[in-house]
Amino acid sequence: MKTPITIRQELPQDHTNVYKLIRAAFASVEESDHSEQDLVERLRHSSSFIPELSLVAETGQGELVGHVLLTRIRIINDAQTFPSLAVAPLSVQPSWQRQGIGSVLIREAHLRAAALGYGSAVLLGHPGYYPRFGYLPAHRFGIRFPFDASADCCMAIELLPDGLKGVQGKVEYDPAFGI
Ligand SMILES: CC(C)(COP(=O)(O)OP(=O)(O)OC[C@H]1O[C@@H](n2cnc3c(N)ncnc32)[C@H](O)[C@@H]1OP(=O)(O)O)[C@@H](O)C(=O)NCCC(=O)NCCS
């Protein structure tokens, strides 16, 4: 890493820079519809938003170079509803990618989510990236997603011991996701 990076909670005065950062991060991502920055704006106004789990990575010079958002979701089946989190999106400024910032953001987000009592998280992501943090294919836990996506891209992780024990069902996202 070029300089020490601090991970901290996003503040209202960061919103404009976070918007630009997310837009830049996804600009050349083929699978993206390039609207992730708007999703974050919507999620901030939704009941799924957890201010403590919208995190930015900041350089010593005060430049925001990364962001991650974890929001509340539910995993539901005919009999039960379980609270969990969705990791979406994760963004690193293109000139700062592949220097460990995404990894630091994810790991810190997991620690903070666990400290808040959240036992698990799910995401749709690249199977070449997220398993290093402990993510497993969600179907191994009996968790399904409400859209068609390659099974190995649909992942889940236990943030607390046995955080997904007995948790089975379909992921229900906040309406802000438009799913
Ligand atoms: C994906 C992203 C968040 C990773 O953050 P980062 O800070 O660049 O990644 P890190 O430095 O922590 O990790 C680098 C490792 O991740 C791998 N990696 C990075 N992006 C990847 C991707 N899209 N798919 C698979 N592997 C990826 C690198 O090959 C590297 O692997 P290595 O350690 O084996 O060499 C960042 O590249 C980014 O913002 N990409 C554009 C937006 C995006 O795709 N977000 C994720 C949506 S699921």
Side-chain angles (χ1 to χ4, degrees):
M1 236 180 267
K2 292 175 194 164
T3 173
I5 297 290
T6 304
I7 308 296
R8 63 164 174 82
Q9 184 177 329
E10 175 197 71
L11 301 170
Q13 54 265 40
D14 298 321
H15 291 179
T16 303
N17 286 333
V18 168
Y19 188 91
K20 291 179 189 164
L21 155 62
I22 299 170
R23 190 174 56 191
F26 283 90
S28 61
V29 176
E30 264 180 39
E31 307 83 27
S32 165
D33 65 0
H34 311 295
S35 69
E36 288 80 1
Q37 64 281 1
D38 298 313
L39 170 64
V40 169
E41 298 261 304
R42 290 196 300 277
L43 284 168
R44 283 200 202 100
H45 293 103
S46 77
S47 59
S48 65
F49 186 64
I50 305 163
E52 295 90 340
L53 298 181
S54 187
L55 302 179
V56 293
E58 184 176 45
T59 67
Q61 288 72 43
E63 185 187 356
L64 298 191
V65 293
H67 172 260
V68 67
L69 179 60
L70 279 63
T71 50
R72 284 186 200 93
I73 54 141
R74 305 192 302 166
I75 299 169
I76 53 175
N77 62 40
D78 289 344
Q80 287 168 292
T81 298
F82 307 94
S84 184
L85 296 169
V87 179
L90 170 65
S91 317
V92 175
Q93 194 73 252
S95 60
W96 289 83
Q97 289 177 6
R98 306 204 167 205
Q99 297 175 54
I101 294 171
S103 300
V104 173
L105 273 167
I106 284 280
R107 293 200 168 100
E108 183 64 23
H110 286 169
L111 289 175
R112 293 186 186 208
L116 289 171
Y118 290 96
S120 66
V122 305
L123 58 76
L124 176 68
H126 201 287
Y129 188 57
Y130 293 97
R132 69 187 68 192
F133 308 112
Y135 284 87
L136 294 168
H139 64 77
R140 289 210 209 161
F141 297 103
I143 295 170
R144 292 172 287 117
F145 284 65
F147 41 70
D148 283 332
S150 165
D152 56 352
C153 295
C154 298
M155 292 177 255
I157 188 172
E158 292 186 323
L159 301 176
L160 294 172
D162 293 333
L164 285 171
K165 194 173 181 184
V167 176
Q168 293 184 342
K170 189 172 174 181
V171 173
E172 186 185 78
Y173 285 93
D174 188 279
F177 278 92
I179 293 167

